[in-house]
Amino acid sequence: MKHFMVQYPAREAFRPYARFGGGIYSRCLALSKSLKGLRVIHINSTASGGGVAELLKNQIPLEKDLGLASRWLALREPKRFFFVTKKIHNLLQGQKGFLSDPEKNYYLSRLDEPGRELRKILNTPGKPTVVVLHDPQVLPLINFLFAASAVIVRLHIDLSSANKSALKFLRPFLEKADRVIISHRLYRPVWLDKNKTTISYPAINPFSDKNREIASGKISGLFKHFGIDETRPIATQISRFDPWKDPEGVIQAYYLAKKELPKLQLVLEGAMEAKDDPQAAAIYNQLTMEYKNDPDIFLHGGKTLSDLSYQTWINALQRRADVVIQKSLREGFGLTVTEALWKGKAVIGGNAAGIKVQIKNGRNGFIVKSPSECAKRMVQLINNPGLARTLGKSGKNIVRKNFLFNRLILDFLEIYTEISPTKV
Ligand code: UDP
């Protein structure tokens, strides 16, 4: 395939999710029976790096295990395309500015070929298929679908203060969707039909290498590998190097907290894998230049481990850190928050809609509005491990109830069922 890469994530059984609530589990089995063999094509912009790829890696094998014929196509585009789509992403998250006509034309024309290829894949016009388009990078593909396809648009970004001109540009595509899924009620554009909009939160796989329990010896081995002193306090943020994730703000908070905790170390983990985020390298390089002389700041911008060890490293870092931070200024959801909560960590999150879905201030972590507030909470949590444990315990329960993959699968099966009578 020239314009898409077909992804084949590892097999995964749905059965183990039975332990997280028989109700959801049996409802999924019942719905999937009547959806057996349904063709579902998920399309997004990158096969690795970032939350969407993380979700699809898990969602597709589970849908397949339940009998659906689901598959995953990732876009194959040059860097220039992703510079434009990152600009669209930034505008939608609230940045000032606008898309120029050449940018719009380039973005749309680049999707002509993939669009034609998609038509060939769908090929048999009468054969019902559900196409799920994840995020604006692939949204214009909606114009290439046959009438027999039902279309879901899954927007993962924070649209709470979206730039109106960017939203207006995307409006004709969004209005063509049979269903638009967003992660927060605040993200629904006022003109988008409420009945066509569903709020569904992302979720994590508790059995994956990134999230399952790991032996403490393994954790120590990985910290040794990276030269990080496990006997001293560790704060971390695991995120793409992106302005909305506010890595600068995290570093400012670290320096303020270090005044009270001189032994504090900071790990900023941001493997630059996501090819749809060409901004990351510049931010990483600038931070590296600025802070290279501080031996207690660990800026990780690349993957130096095999994929399996890398997932285990993220797991180890979230488990061992004294404080996990996700100081985003905007955040569609932020899987990293749920990942850390699942590991019993109290998380310090930025004042962003997606994060506030997961962190209830003072109950399972803290919401902060500035580096100084962040620093205060870092010191408080590191000095009070008992408090951190209590908050962390409550966080794990919140995740068990709301943010595991059984719930996400149920949401999608319900939507597939609801949109099927008319079109599929
Ligand atoms: N992630 C990772 N390494 C990194 C940064 C992020 O493995 O250096 C993973 C992280 O564990 C999570 C996903 O990438 O599973 C990021 O998803 P999130 O929703 O937090 O943010 P996004 O990148 O989609 O904005």
Side-chain angles (χ1 to χ4, degrees):
M1 233 174 266
K2 217 166 141 213
H3 300 282
F4 292 108
M5 286 181 288
V6 185
Q7 302 306 313
Y8 300 98
R11 292 173 73 95
E12 179 95 33
F14 190 61
R15 176 102 191 82
Y17 284 92
R19 77 184 70 163
F20 297 119
I24 294 186
Y25 183 75
S26 47
R27 182 130 175 76
C28 284
L29 292 194
L31 286 175
S32 58
K33 240 185 218 161
S34 37
L35 293 168
K36 218 168 188 57
L38 176 71
R39 288 206 312 176
V40 182
I41 304 183
H42 291 269
I43 309 177
N44 83 319
S45 58
T46 178
S48 60
V52 182
E54 180 72 19
L55 288 167
L56 293 179
K57 210 163 73 183
N58 292 294
Q59 180 170 356
I60 281 136
L62 291 174
E63 288 185 358
K64 281 168 86 165
D65 190 58
L66 286 165
L68 281 72
S70 298
R71 55 193 300 212
W72 175 9
L73 304 178
L75 217 50
R76 209 197 279 271
E77 285 297 321
K79 222 174 180 167
R80 185 173 159 210
F81 175 82
F82 293 117
F83 269 106
V84 177
T85 56
K86 184 69 198 281
K87 182 168 178 186
I88 296 176
H89 174 96
N90 287 339
L91 292 170
L92 290 173
Q93 294 223 132
Q95 196 178 72
K96 287 200 174 69
F98 61 92
L99 275 182
S100 66
D101 284 340
E103 283 168 334
K104 286 180 191 168
N105 292 338
Y106 176 75
Y107 161 67
L108 295 176
S109 67
R110 280 302 315 178
L111 290 169
D112 278 351
E113 286 294 324
R116 277 193 278 276
E117 192 165 303
L118 182 59
R119 268 181 100 83
K120 273 193 212 136
I121 296 166
L122 294 168
N123 198 4
T124 37
K127 197 164 175 190
T129 305
V130 177
V131 177
V132 191
L133 299 172
H134 293 262
D135 278 345
Q137 293 96 325
V138 297
L139 185 56
L141 293 176
I142 205 162
N143 282 351
F144 292 84
L145 305 178
F146 294 111
S149 302
V151 198
I152 297 169
V153 173
R154 193 355 175 163
L155 295 174
H156 297 268
I157 48 194
D158 183 340
L159 292 166
S160 58
S161 23
N163 178 302
K164 288 209 169 57
S165 71
L167 213 49
K168 190 174 160 204
F169 169 58
L170 297 178
R171 180 172 176 171
F173 304 113
L174 282 171
E175 285 183 332
K176 277 193 180 160
D178 295 293
R179 189 64 60 96
V180 177
I181 308 179
I182 48 179
S183 303
H184 199 290
R185 69 185 159 75
L186 292 176
Y187 301 165
R188 184 176 64 82
V190 281
W191 40 260
L192 192 66
D193 185 350
K194 217 173 180 172
N195 297 321
K196 276 199 344 192
T197 314
T198 300
I199 294 158
S200 170
Y201 303 122
I204 60 161
N205 172 357
F207 309 109
S208 67
D209 292 310
K210 189 177 270 180
N211 295 315
R212 65 188 166 80
E213 297 272 351
I214 37 174
S216 61
K218 203 166 206 165
I219 298 181
S220 295
L222 283 159
F223 274 86
K224 221 175 244 141
H225 172 84
F226 285 110
I228 304 165
D229 187 348
E230 257 201 294
T231 65
R232 290 164 49 195
I234 298 165
T236 188
Q237 173 161 295
I238 299 162
S239 270
R240 288 179 295 108
F241 288 100
D242 172 293
W244 304 108
K245 310 278 187 188
D246 197 17
E248 278 278 10
V250 176
I251 294 176
Q252 281 173 33
Y254 152 82
Y255 279 118
L256 291 170
K258 205 169 168 77
K259 287 184 188 161
E260 296 192 41
L261 299 164
K263 293 197 163 165
L264 184 62
Q265 303 165 95
L266 175 67
V267 184
L268 288 185
E269 181 71 38
M272 289 177 291
E273 272 195 290
K275 68 175 169 53
D276 62 348
D277 187 0
Q279 251 186 320
I283 298 176
Y284 170 73
N285 290 337
Q286 188 213 323
L287 293 177
T288 309
M289 281 291 290
E290 256 174 84
Y291 300 104
K292 63 174 184 274
N293 294 326
D294 186 335
D296 291 338
I297 295 186
F298 298 83
L299 280 159
H300 292 172
K303 229 167 147 180
T304 53
L305 299 164
S306 70
D307 189 61
L308 180 101
S309 311
Y310 182 73
Q311 302 300 321
T312 310
W313 161 237
I314 299 297
N315 190 339
L317 187 53
Q318 286 165 334
R319 282 181 195 281
R320 173 59 193 86
D322 299 276
V323 158
V324 175
I325 302 166
Q326 188 56 58
K327 213 199 135 317
S328 310
L329 307 168
R330 296 270 196 285
E331 191 64 77
F333 182 75
L335 279 176
T336 48
V337 174
T338 272
E339 286 165 5
L341 293 176
W342 179 245
K343 288 150 190 134
K345 290 288 150 181
V347 180
I348 301 176
N351 185 34
I355 292 187
K356 287 193 282 189
V357 163
Q358 303 166 77
I359 300 179
K360 301 299 163 207
N361 194 30
R363 205 170 123 207
N364 62 332
F366 295 110
I367 297 292
V368 296
K369 294 183 179 151
S370 64
S372 63
E373 246 186 273
C374 182
K376 209 177 83 196
R377 295 307 190 185
M378 288 163 79
V379 173
Q380 185 183 9
L381 286 172
I382 292 172
N383 284 339
N384 295 279
L387 170 70
R389 263 195 304 276
T390 309
L391 298 181
K393 210 166 159 188
S394 135
K396 184 158 188 171
N397 286 331
I398 291 176
V399 174
R400 186 179 286 113
K401 243 167 85 192
N402 304 294
F403 306 127
L404 295 182
F405 248 98
N406 50 344
R407 197 233 68 240
L408 183 149
I409 292 294
L410 178 59
D411 289 351
F412 271 80
L413 294 179
E414 281 177 349
I415 294 170
Y416 296 154
T417 309
E418 283 161 21
I419 60 178
S420 60
T422 49
K423 290 191 117 185
V424 176

